[in-house]
Amino acid sequence: MQHTQYISTRGRMAPAGFMDVLLAGLAPDGGLAVPDRLESLTADRLENWRPLGYADLATEIIGLFATDVPRDDLAALTRAAYGEPRFPQPVVPVTALGDVADGLVLVGLSEGPTMAFKDLAMQFLGQAIPYVLAKQGRVLNILGATSGDTGSAAEHAFRGQEGVSVFMLSPAGRMSPVQRAQMYTLQDANIHNIAVRGVFDDCQALVKALSNDADFKEAHHLGAVNSINIGRIAAQAVYYVWSWLRVTDAVEEGARAGYRVDVCVPSGNFGNIYAGFLARSMGVPIRRLILATNENNVLEEFFTTGVYRPRSATDTLATSSPSMDISKASNLERFIWALLGPEAFVQRWTELEATGTLDLRDQLSRLGEEFGFVAGRSSHADRLEAIRTVKERSGRLIDPHTADGITVALRTMEPGFPTLVMETAKAAKFPQTVAEALGKDPEAPDIIADLLTQPQKVETIDNEEAPLRALIEERALTS
């Protein structure tokens, strides 16, 4: 197998290995790391993987991206990440929701320690990053931003780890009480929660500003585990392969190779669905990638009109699916790079930075015909209806973000093609919205009730670089 190297979307970074870009976050030129090649997942290869458990499948898939990690070491990392007690087996349950709609399937991504899909990538990083740091004799100060679930998943993956500290920014007052509690109740010395007076995009902008300061980044050993981290993308690609294999387990062997499915992904920052795009590009028989947004529908607007127009913080709405309250999708840059090619990308991305708008109407037909993208949006009323409908017909409780996915999936499904909805989180993380949908309070698991009574530790800062820099200078790990 050839070695996969990583280059930057901006074109000014020397090729690097997986272990190097795993720690770097943004590329030195401000771009995002992308693989210089993709392996082909043939029908025979997929069939050979069918008997594997989740951890072993993760070794195979992530191994295509992490070709500089010895296979035995990688297998140990995936077993640690996806074994018990971190995840009950089979890690990702795949459940038909035929009572809701024929062909509708829920891919259960919320079985991890923070009850959100982010755990599936973050638990791998929680093993892989300390492994790389130990190999290289380095320390890492993770600087991240979260709209709800990334922060808690990262903190639970890295809490107490040697050589790693986490500085996690979150928008003050814009997460659910359970999301806040999962982060702010952690008392570990290497965890630093910072609430920013603003929205998620403000937090993300602060992370990018400090990460683009090469001298500050180097001096304080800054790295990232937000969805811009390619290690997360590689780990997320695993469950697209896994879910296709599980859906086709019951299909006659001779018909499996051409058995295409649609996948619907609630999306805010475009990281999860970008992993699906990579899986599709590698050969997983995914027909369409259905992107679901809430009222902050910048991505839906792009994939339906061809115009990408990020919105300001003041124009970003606070909704009942708060983890998707994002108006500037960081990972879209990776897809635009693939869409346009390296040379054209740099010119057109400069246009976006200069004008605030990227007009790709000349590429609109390719978005659907070549790349398989379809998009839709959901409202508060829609997600309430979806939560209520799924509960009444199947007995399952879904969270508001998954409800956005169900809503858009039901509108876009076509006969003959199963539609897999990627679950976002457990409903227990959003009890107020679930209660509004059902007309009564859902029963809170004991673990949630206990969590909400614990003391919380968080610092609040203005939406400015200076106080954030000061906190990092004071508390960052040094080599």
Side-chain angles (χ1 to χ4, degrees):
M1 185 175 69
Q2 292 181 322
H3 281 289
T4 298
Q5 294 280 293
Y6 292 85
I7 55 179
S8 171
T9 52
R10 309 291 174 91
R12 298 188 301 275
M13 180 184 84
F18 181 83
M19 287 197 286
D20 291 323
V21 296
L22 187 68
L23 302 181
L26 282 174
D29 61 3
L32 301 183
V34 289
D36 65 353
R37 57 185 299 279
L38 291 174
E39 283 280 328
S40 177
L41 302 184
T42 63
D44 287 344
R45 198 173 202 176
L46 289 169
E47 199 60 35
N48 288 338
W49 288 342
R50 186 174 297 278
L52 299 181
Y54 195 88
D56 289 338
L57 181 64
T59 301
E60 297 295 334
I61 302 297
I62 298 172
L64 302 178
F65 295 92
T67 55
D68 54 347
V69 179
R71 180 51 64 97
D72 288 347
D73 290 358
L74 182 58
L77 296 175
T78 58
R79 284 195 298 269
Y82 300 117
E84 295 182 294
R86 288 183 173 86
F87 290 91
Q89 302 306 301
V91 180
V92 174
V94 177
T95 307
L97 295 180
D99 291 338
V100 179
D102 186 39
L104 189 66
V105 178
L106 185 66
V107 180
L109 304 179
S110 65
E111 302 301 311
T114 70
M115 302 183 291
F117 82 98
K118 306 291 178 71
D119 287 321
L120 284 153
M122 208 64 75
Q123 285 294 321
F124 171 70
L125 291 194
Q127 300 298 319
I129 285 179
Y131 165 85
V132 174
L133 292 173
K135 286 274 188 185
Q136 299 181 357
R138 298 172 56 185
V139 299
L140 182 69
N141 294 294
I142 294 169
L143 176 60
T146 184
S147 57
D149 293 326
T150 294
S152 58
E155 292 179 356
H156 281 261
F158 290 100
R159 61 184 303 193
Q161 293 273 26
E162 290 290 330
V164 184
S165 66
V166 179
F167 293 83
M168 189 59 63
L169 278 59
S170 57
R174 286 196 173 230
M175 298 190 300
S176 77
V178 176
Q179 287 177 313
R180 290 196 296 269
Q182 283 187 323
M183 291 174 58
Y184 300 166
T185 57
L186 295 182
Q187 304 296 320
D188 304 75
N190 70 327
I191 301 298
H192 308 283
N193 280 303
I194 305 164
V196 177
R197 296 184 180 97
V199 298
F200 169 76
D201 292 328
D202 296 320
C203 301
Q204 189 164 254
L206 287 172
V207 170
K208 284 196 170 186
L210 269 62
S211 298
N212 281 328
D213 184 338
D215 291 338
F216 189 86
K217 180 179 179 180
E218 182 179 0
H220 299 289
H221 310 286
L222 296 185
V225 294
N226 271 28
S227 60
I228 61 173
N229 188 298
I230 196 65
R232 279 185 56 181
I233 301 296
Q236 287 174 305
V238 177
Y239 50 72
Y240 287 90
V241 181
W242 170 268
S243 57
W244 181 84
L245 289 171
R246 298 292 75 80
V247 166
T248 56
D249 275 338
V251 175
E252 289 186 13
E253 188 170 344
R256 288 171 177 169
Y259 194 87
R260 295 191 296 165
V261 301
D262 292 344
V263 179
C264 185
V265 189
S267 191
N269 216 16
F270 204 75
N272 194 2
I273 200 167
Y274 176 74
F277 163 73
L278 287 185
R280 182 182 187 273
S281 301
M282 295 167 78
V284 180
I286 296 171
R287 185 181 70 128
R288 296 188 302 170
L289 292 161
I290 304 170
L291 183 148
T293 73
N294 61 15
E295 294 89 337
N296 295 298
N297 64 321
V298 170
L299 288 172
E300 183 258 347
E301 182 179 80
F302 170 65
F303 281 99
T304 54
T305 70
V307 178
Y308 177 53
R309 189 179 292 108
R311 297 171 191 165
S312 67
T314 55
D315 291 327
T316 302
L317 303 174
T319 77
S320 53
S321 50
S323 297
M324 291 158 56
D325 290 347
I326 297 171
S327 293
K328 187 175 183 181
S330 291
N331 280 285
L332 189 65
E333 178 171 341
R334 286 184 165 117
F335 172 70
I336 300 298
W337 180 87
L339 173 71
L340 299 177
E343 293 185 8
F345 167 81
V346 173
Q347 178 181 353
R348 302 297 286 273
W349 202 255
T350 301
E351 170 191 331
L352 172 64
E353 292 178 332
T355 66
T357 300
L358 181 60
D359 188 341
L360 294 179
R361 284 177 290 183
D362 58 326
Q363 304 290 326
L364 182 58
S365 63
R366 295 180 65 208
L367 297 179
E369 294 172 9
E370 182 177 343
F371 296 101
F373 278 97
V374 176
R377 61 171 290 182
S378 175
S379 68
H380 179 67
D382 292 331
R383 65 185 67 99
L384 295 181
E385 178 62 25
I387 291 169
R388 187 162 47 246
T389 297
V390 172
K391 175 62 175 173
E392 291 174 351
R393 295 184 184 178
S394 75
R396 297 182 67 94
L397 274 179
I398 59 172
D399 82 288
H401 309 79
T402 305
D404 289 330
I406 292 287
T407 296
V408 175
L410 291 174
R411 289 176 184 160
T412 56
M413 290 179 69
E414 295 180 355
F417 297 97
T419 299
L420 283 59
V421 177
M422 294 296 173
E423 184 189 36
T424 300
K426 293 289 188 193
K429 298 188 74 169
F430 304 92
Q432 291 176 316
T433 302
V434 174
E436 184 179 355
L438 302 181
K440 61 180 180 180
D441 290 333
E443 185 175 341
D446 290 342
I447 190 173
I448 294 294
D450 178 63
L451 184 68
L452 293 172
T453 66
Q454 295 179 23
Q456 299 187 6
K457 182 180 71 172
V458 61
E459 298 174 71
T460 302
I461 64 171
D462 290 332
N463 178 27
E464 298 172 354
E465 289 183 35
L468 178 59
R469 287 177 182 269
L471 280 172
I472 292 172
E473 287 170 349
E474 177 187 349
R475 300 177 191 177
L477 296 177
T478 59
S479 55

